[in-house]
Amino acid sequence: MESLQARIDSFLKSKRVKRSSKPNSTSATVKWPHPSSFNANPHTLAEAGFYWVPSWEDRDSVACFLCHKELSDWDEDDNPFLIHWQKCGNTCAWAIVRCGLSEDIAEDGSFVFLNKKRLPTSKAMEKARLQTFGEELWPHDGQDDHGASSKKMAQGGFVYTPQTKGDDTVTCLYCNLSLGGWDADDDPMWVYEVLPLRRKVTHP
């Protein structure tokens, strides 16, 4: 469920749930129970890191692909980004790097880092970005001396946002720049030199 599309797709298909784990337990086919008008809809939930894991008792239960936190009982006005940040902002890398962005953005859309630990260059944010690559998810970490290692990606301001399993697409959440197809001699930091607009205009 590392890819956004996989998480979105998890909400679109009906699933069977059982009343209990017993072999002959009553089961039912369920669909995502809330209308698209809810703040917590398949797209916002997926972007906030969640995929659908219904149970007999909790038909709208979702789980984070990274920290595995499960949440349910969504109301119409619930904000999945804010809730994930409030529940897991100290432990989940996705909650920190993605859901916590609202903490860094002023009303005019500009970045204002009131908490210095949330500065893009801080060790805390670099560590959180690195954790989005997982222990065995990033395809280039197993290649000796590959220039685009997960560590260098995190240092360059990128988080792992694969489109499919094994994909090497990364994204800067501050300027929404996504890049993939990394070669062994690539250096993630080249972006700051070749694309100065990222640094000077859209990047904090």
Side-chain angles (χ1 to χ4, degrees):
M1 290 296 171
E2 291 80 20
S3 77
L4 174 62
Q5 190 58 53
R7 296 195 296 273
I8 293 174
D9 290 345
S10 74
F11 292 89
L12 305 182
K13 297 179 180 179
S14 300
K15 297 183 179 180
R16 293 195 68 79
V17 295
K18 289 187 175 183
R19 183 185 292 272
S20 71
S21 59
K22 296 180 180 179
N24 296 324
S25 175
T26 302
S27 64
T29 300
V30 298
K31 295 181 178 180
W32 176 248
H34 303 306
S36 58
S37 58
F38 267 45
N39 282 339
N41 58 61
H43 285 81
T44 57
L45 284 162
E47 182 63 41
F50 296 112
Y51 61 98
W52 187 35
V53 287
S55 66
W56 186 270
E57 295 80 10
D58 298 309
R59 303 296 173 91
D60 67 351
S61 181
V62 299
C64 173
F65 79 98
L66 200 56
C67 71
H68 310 298
K69 176 72 172 180
E70 292 193 21
L71 298 170
S72 60
D73 299 322
W74 295 93
D75 293 326
E76 184 175 5
D77 296 327
D78 283 344
N79 182 329
F81 298 96
L82 179 60
I83 291 176
H84 198 184
W85 167 247
Q86 291 175 336
K87 297 284 187 181
C88 308
N90 293 323
T91 56
C92 176
W94 194 255
I96 294 170
V97 300
R98 176 61 184 90
C99 300
L101 277 179
S102 59
E103 298 289 306
D104 310 324
I105 301 176
E107 292 184 1
D108 63 359
S110 62
F111 284 97
V112 179
F113 297 97
L114 300 178
N115 182 348
K116 299 307 179 185
K117 290 184 178 180
R118 290 195 55 79
L119 281 167
T121 53
S122 72
K123 290 298 182 182
M125 293 304 292
E126 182 181 323
K127 178 182 178 181
R129 291 193 297 268
L130 179 59
Q131 289 175 339
T132 68
F133 290 84
E135 294 183 0
E136 298 181 355
L137 297 177
W138 183 241
H140 303 309
D141 276 347
Q143 305 171 34
D144 293 339
D145 300 322
H146 198 290
S149 67
S150 59
K151 184 176 181 179
K152 289 183 178 179
M153 286 293 174
Q155 291 173 341
F158 294 105
V159 300
Y160 189 29
T161 54
Q163 305 304 299
T164 58
K165 186 176 182 179
D167 177 40
D168 68 352
T169 299
V170 296
T171 300
C172 172
L173 296 176
Y174 300 105
C175 63
N176 293 318
L177 175 69
S178 294
L179 297 169
W182 297 90
D183 294 325
D185 57 351
D186 284 340
D187 182 352
M189 297 305 293
W190 74 271
V191 177
Y192 291 93
E193 300 175 5
V194 179
L195 300 177
L197 285 178
R198 177 176 183 244
R199 181 179 70 252
K200 296 180 180 179
V201 179
T202 61
H203 211 267

